[in-house]
Amino acid sequence: MDSVSTDLAHLLSSLRLEALAPAFAEEAITDVALLTSMGREMLLENLDEIGIETSDATTLADALFPPSPAPAAAPATPAAAPAPSNGHIVDASPGGDASGGGGGGAAVSAEEESAHEVAQWLLKPYLVIDPGELKSKVLRLTREANRHQHAGLHANAAATYTQALALEPPNARAVAALYYNRSAAHRALGRHWEAARDARLAAQAEPRAEPR
Protein backbone atom coordinates (compact mmCIF):
# COMPACT_ATOMS: atom_id res chain seq x y z
CA MET A 1 0.00 0.00 0.00
CA ASP A 2 2.71 2.41 -1.06
CA SER A 3 0.29 4.88 -2.63
CA VAL A 4 -1.50 5.80 0.62
CA SER A 5 -0.04 7.29 3.79
CA THR A 6 1.45 5.09 6.49
CA ASP A 7 -1.36 5.98 8.89
CA LEU A 8 -4.06 5.03 6.41
CA ALA A 9 -2.22 1.84 5.44
CA HIS A 10 -1.99 0.91 9.13
CA LEU A 11 -5.68 1.54 9.71
CA LEU A 12 -6.78 -0.45 6.63
CA SER A 13 -4.48 -3.31 7.62
CA SER A 14 -5.87 -3.41 11.17
CA LEU A 15 -9.40 -3.66 9.71
CA ARG A 16 -8.35 -6.21 7.04
CA LEU A 17 -9.40 -3.75 4.35
CA GLU A 18 -6.08 -3.58 2.50
CA ALA A 19 -7.93 -4.23 -0.78
CA LEU A 20 -9.43 -0.71 -0.58
CA ALA A 21 -6.02 0.98 -0.90
CA PRO A 22 -5.93 1.06 -4.74
CA ALA A 23 -9.41 2.60 -4.93
CA PHE A 24 -8.44 5.22 -2.34
CA ALA A 25 -5.23 6.04 -4.19
CA GLU A 26 -7.10 6.42 -7.47
CA GLU A 27 -9.51 8.89 -5.86
CA ALA A 28 -6.62 10.78 -4.17
CA ILE A 29 -7.82 9.73 -0.72
CA THR A 30 -4.39 9.16 0.75
CA ASP A 31 -4.59 9.94 4.47
CA VAL A 32 -6.81 9.37 7.49
CA ALA A 33 -7.34 13.09 8.15
CA LEU A 34 -9.10 13.44 4.79
CA LEU A 35 -11.50 10.61 5.68
CA THR A 36 -12.29 11.93 9.15
CA SER A 37 -12.88 15.48 7.93
CA MET A 38 -15.80 14.20 5.82
CA GLY A 39 -17.87 13.12 8.82
CA ARG A 40 -19.58 9.72 9.02
CA GLU A 41 -22.52 10.33 6.68
CA MET A 42 -20.49 12.07 3.95
CA LEU A 43 -17.82 9.36 4.23
CA LEU A 44 -20.35 6.57 3.67
CA GLU A 45 -21.90 8.49 0.77
CA ASN A 46 -18.52 9.10 -0.89
CA LEU A 47 -17.38 5.50 -0.45
CA ASP A 48 -20.61 4.31 -2.03
CA GLU A 49 -20.04 6.66 -4.98
CA ILE A 50 -16.62 5.13 -5.68
CA GLY A 51 -17.95 1.58 -5.51
CA ILE A 52 -16.85 0.46 -2.03
CA GLU A 53 -18.97 -2.38 -0.62
CA THR A 54 -21.42 -1.22 2.06
CA SER A 55 -20.07 -3.69 4.64
CA ASP A 56 -16.49 -2.48 4.12
CA ALA A 57 -17.55 1.17 4.20
CA THR A 58 -19.46 0.60 7.45
CA THR A 59 -16.48 -1.18 9.04
CA LEU A 60 -14.24 1.77 8.21
CA ALA A 61 -16.80 4.35 9.34
CA ASP A 62 -17.31 2.51 12.66
CA ALA A 63 -13.55 2.57 13.30
CA LEU A 64 -13.24 6.28 12.50
CA PHE A 65 -16.51 7.35 14.14
CA PRO A 66 -17.29 4.90 16.99
CA PRO A 67 -21.01 4.95 17.84
CA SER A 68 -21.85 6.64 21.12
CA PRO A 69 -23.02 4.24 23.85
CA ALA A 70 -26.73 4.33 24.59
CA PRO A 71 -27.56 6.19 27.82
CA ALA A 72 -28.33 3.92 30.75
CA ALA A 73 -32.00 3.67 31.67
CA ALA A 74 -32.99 5.26 34.96
CA PRO A 75 -33.42 2.58 37.66
CA ALA A 76 -36.98 1.84 38.64
CA THR A 77 -38.18 3.09 42.02
CA PRO A 78 -38.11 0.05 44.33
CA ALA A 79 -41.41 0.93 46.02
CA ALA A 80 -43.24 1.08 42.70
CA ALA A 81 -41.87 -2.19 41.34
CA PRO A 82 -44.08 -5.22 42.02
CA ALA A 83 -42.36 -8.33 43.33
CA PRO A 84 -41.82 -10.93 40.61
CA SER A 85 -44.28 -13.77 41.01
CA ASN A 86 -41.85 -16.47 39.86
CA GLY A 87 -39.14 -15.70 42.41
CA HIS A 88 -36.65 -14.34 39.84
CA ILE A 89 -34.83 -11.08 40.49
CA VAL A 90 -34.99 -8.45 37.75
CA ASP A 91 -31.56 -6.95 37.16
CA ALA A 92 -31.94 -3.19 36.57
CA SER A 93 -28.24 -2.62 35.83
CA PRO A 94 -27.29 -1.58 32.25
CA GLY A 95 -25.75 -4.99 31.50
CA GLY A 96 -28.41 -7.13 33.17
CA ASP A 97 -31.52 -8.76 31.77
CA ALA A 98 -34.98 -9.54 33.04
CA SER A 99 -34.39 -13.28 33.46
CA GLY A 100 -32.11 -13.04 36.46
CA GLY A 101 -28.94 -13.60 34.40
CA GLY A 102 -26.08 -11.14 34.44
CA GLY A 103 -25.21 -11.32 30.74
CA GLY A 104 -23.88 -8.09 29.25
CA GLY A 105 -23.43 -6.91 25.68
CA ALA A 106 -21.44 -8.75 23.04
CA ALA A 107 -17.71 -9.00 23.76
CA VAL A 108 -15.44 -6.81 21.67
CA SER A 109 -12.73 -8.78 19.89
CA ALA A 110 -9.06 -7.91 20.35
CA GLU A 111 -8.89 -7.03 16.65
CA GLU A 112 -11.82 -4.57 16.91
CA GLU A 113 -10.31 -3.05 20.07
CA SER A 114 -6.96 -2.60 18.31
CA ALA A 115 -8.61 -0.94 15.30
CA HIS A 116 -10.53 1.39 17.61
CA GLU A 117 -7.33 2.40 19.45
CA VAL A 118 -5.55 3.08 16.15
CA ALA A 119 -8.44 5.24 14.95
CA GLN A 120 -8.57 7.20 18.21
CA TRP A 121 -4.81 7.84 18.10
CA LEU A 122 -5.05 9.06 14.52
CA LEU A 123 -7.99 11.32 15.36
CA LYS A 124 -6.14 13.27 18.08
CA PRO A 125 -6.16 16.96 17.08
CA TYR A 126 -3.10 19.16 16.79
CA LEU A 127 -2.17 20.16 20.33
CA VAL A 128 0.13 23.14 19.71
CA ILE A 129 0.89 24.79 16.38
CA ASP A 130 3.13 27.82 16.20
CA PRO A 131 2.02 30.64 13.85
CA GLY A 132 4.57 29.80 11.16
CA GLU A 133 3.63 26.12 11.14
CA LEU A 134 -0.07 27.00 11.15
CA LYS A 135 0.31 29.23 8.10
CA SER A 136 2.29 26.53 6.29
CA LYS A 137 -0.33 23.86 7.02
CA VAL A 138 -3.22 26.09 5.93
CA LEU A 139 -1.48 27.01 2.67
CA ARG A 140 -0.60 23.38 1.94
CA LEU A 141 -4.15 22.19 2.56
CA THR A 142 -5.59 25.05 0.51
CA ARG A 143 -3.37 24.21 -2.48
CA GLU A 144 -4.27 20.52 -2.14
CA ALA A 145 -8.00 21.35 -1.99
CA ASN A 146 -7.70 23.61 -5.04
CA ARG A 147 -6.04 20.79 -6.98
CA HIS A 148 -8.89 18.44 -6.07
CA GLN A 149 -11.42 21.07 -7.12
CA HIS A 150 -9.77 21.64 -10.50
CA ALA A 151 -9.56 17.87 -11.06
CA GLY A 152 -13.30 17.50 -10.44
CA LEU A 153 -12.78 15.65 -7.13
CA HIS A 154 -15.28 17.89 -5.38
CA ALA A 155 -15.88 15.65 -2.33
CA ASN A 156 -12.14 15.51 -1.67
CA ALA A 157 -11.92 19.27 -2.18
CA ALA A 158 -14.72 19.95 0.34
CA ALA A 159 -13.11 17.63 2.88
CA THR A 160 -9.68 19.25 2.49
CA TYR A 161 -11.11 22.78 2.79
CA THR A 162 -12.74 21.52 6.00
CA GLN A 163 -9.32 20.39 7.29
CA ALA A 164 -7.90 23.84 6.60
CA LEU A 165 -10.82 25.56 8.36
CA ALA A 166 -10.43 23.23 11.35
CA LEU A 167 -6.99 24.78 11.97
CA GLU A 168 -8.78 28.11 12.58
CA PRO A 169 -6.45 30.38 10.61
CA PRO A 170 -6.38 33.89 12.12
CA ASN A 171 -6.54 35.63 8.71
CA ALA A 172 -10.19 36.57 8.11
CA ARG A 173 -9.71 36.93 4.35
CA ALA A 174 -8.21 33.42 4.16
CA VAL A 175 -11.13 32.01 6.16
CA ALA A 176 -13.63 33.70 3.84
CA ALA A 177 -11.85 32.28 0.78
CA LEU A 178 -11.92 28.77 2.26
CA TYR A 179 -15.65 29.02 2.92
CA TYR A 180 -16.32 30.38 -0.59
CA ASN A 181 -14.31 27.56 -2.15
CA ARG A 182 -15.99 24.89 -0.02
CA SER A 183 -19.35 26.37 -0.99
CA ALA A 184 -18.42 25.89 -4.66
CA ALA A 185 -17.42 22.28 -3.99
CA HIS A 186 -20.73 21.57 -2.24
CA ARG A 187 -22.65 23.22 -5.09
CA ALA A 188 -20.85 21.00 -7.64
CA LEU A 189 -21.93 17.97 -5.58
CA GLY A 190 -25.55 19.10 -5.52
CA ARG A 191 -25.45 19.87 -1.81
CA HIS A 192 -27.30 23.15 -2.08
CA TRP A 193 -28.06 23.64 1.61
CA GLU A 194 -24.37 23.22 2.54
CA ALA A 195 -23.35 25.49 -0.34
CA ALA A 196 -25.70 28.24 0.87
CA ARG A 197 -24.49 27.85 4.45
CA ASP A 198 -20.83 28.19 3.46
CA ALA A 199 -21.57 31.18 1.25
CA ARG A 200 -23.23 32.85 4.23
CA LEU A 201 -20.27 32.00 6.50
CA ALA A 202 -17.87 33.36 3.89
CA ALA A 203 -19.76 36.65 3.74
CA GLN A 204 -19.69 36.88 7.54
CA ALA A 205 -15.94 36.17 7.66
CA GLU A 206 -15.04 38.63 4.89
CA PRO A 207 -13.38 41.65 6.56
CA ARG A 208 -15.30 44.88 6.13
CA ALA A 209 -13.55 48.00 4.89
CA GLU A 210 -13.30 50.67 7.57
CA PRO A 211 -15.35 53.81 6.75
CA ARG A 212 -13.19 56.79 5.88
Side-chain angles (χ1 to χ4, degrees):
M1 293 188 284
D2 296 333
S3 52
V4 297
S5 70
T6 302
D7 289 345
L8 181 53
H10 187 186
L11 178 60
L12 293 178
S13 178
S14 70
L15 298 172
R16 296 184 179 179
L17 297 177
E18 299 95 331
L20 302 186
F24 282 1
E26 183 178 350
E27 295 294 327
I29 302 173
T30 56
D31 58 65
V32 174
L34 182 57
L35 294 172
T36 57
S37 66
M38 297 180 188
R40 181 184 178 87
E41 295 306 317
M42 185 184 294
L43 173 63
L44 290 171
E45 179 182 331
N46 291 340
L47 293 181
D48 179 65
E49 288 177 358
I50 65 175
I52 302 299
E53 293 289 338
T54 301
S55 58
D56 290 344
T58 302
T59 297
L60 182 57
D62 287 345
L64 294 172
F65 307 100
S68 301
T77 304
S85 59
N86 57 5
H88 289 173
I89 297 174
V90 177
D91 184 357
S93 65
D97 60 27
S99 63
V108 177
S109 70
E111 180 180 319
E112 291 172 333
E113 183 66 25
S114 173
H116 174 70
E117 290 176 0
V118 170
Q120 289 306 301
W121 179 78
L122 294 170
L123 287 172
K124 287 182 180 177
Y126 300 107
L127 296 180
V128 177
I129 301 179
D130 64 60
E133 183 182 359
L134 173 62
K135 180 179 179 180
S136 176
K137 286 181 180 293
V138 171
L139 290 175
R140 178 180 60 79
L141 288 169
T142 300
R143 287 193 293 266
E144 181 181 339
N146 291 342
R147 286 196 298 270
H148 288 321
Q149 186 80 320
H150 292 148
L153 301 172
H154 304 298
N156 288 351
T160 309
Y161 287 130
T162 299
Q163 287 184 60
L165 286 164
L167 295 176
E168 299 182 355
N171 186 304
R173 194 173 299 280
V175 171
L178 288 168
Y179 276 126
Y180 275 126
N181 290 340
R182 194 174 69 173
S183 174
H186 282 313
R187 188 166 58 251
L189 291 166
R191 297 169 182 160
H192 302 297
W193 184 90
E194 290 87 346
R197 176 204 59 198
D198 280 357
R200 183 170 60 254
L201 290 171
Q204 292 172 356
E206 185 74 44
R208 299 287 187 269
E210 292 294 333
R212 293 180 181 276

